[in-house]
Amino acid sequence: MTLTLAAAEQVLADNFAPWVLDLGLSVVSVDADGAVLRLPWSDRLAREGGGLCGQAMMAAADTATVIAVTAVRGGFVPMTTVQQSISFQRAVVGSDVLVHARLTKAGKRMAFADITVTAEGTEEIAAHATAVYALLG
């Protein structure tokens, strides 16, 4: 079963804490390998020096992984983060970011993801993350 953009947006709206929703994330695309989310630029998410804070990128990567798992499985199941690691490679200033989450393995009980964060309009990686999820349903 293919997950539609509307269904992915509904998963986003129904399954995340209010502060995550306050980030303003939106689903750009979903496919058989994962998902792409947009994190819109906001001065409220900037750290000293004006760059997008790491906490926002980490939360966006985690959220994109849930949507990626949902896309690959064809629907939402309860899941939880087991491990997440991120490396920040360059600052993002004044630009939306695209969060590309691709599953590298999707089993019955575990899913593994590779996530890249890029400033919109560039291929240069701002952050790279990996995540492991336990699938509970």
Side-chain angles (χ1 to χ4, degrees), residues 62 65 79-85 109-112 130-136:
D62 192 54
T65 302
M79 62 187 89
T80 190
T81 310
V82 173
Q83 181 276 333
Q84 185 179 22
S85 177
R109 296 283 181 212
M110 302 291 286
F112 300 81
T130 58
V132 179
Y133 268 72
L135 308 178
L136 306 174

Side-chain angles (χ1 to χ4, degrees), residues 24-51:
L25 292 162
S26 61
V27 182
V28 174
S29 66
V30 291
D31 61 31
D33 296 319
V36 179
L37 273 62
R38 175 187 311 280
L39 174 62
W41 173 259
S42 169
D43 289 337
R44 291 177 42 90
L45 299 178
R47 59 173 170 71
E48 81 290 339

Side-chain angles (χ1 to χ4, degrees), residues 90-113:
R90 63 180 34 85
V92 175
V93 178
S95 175
D96 291 1
V97 296
L98 297 178
V99 184
H100 303 258
R102 297 281 169 236
L103 296 194
T104 58
K105 181 175 179 174
K108 289 183 179 182
R109 296 283 181 212
M110 302 291 286
F112 300 81

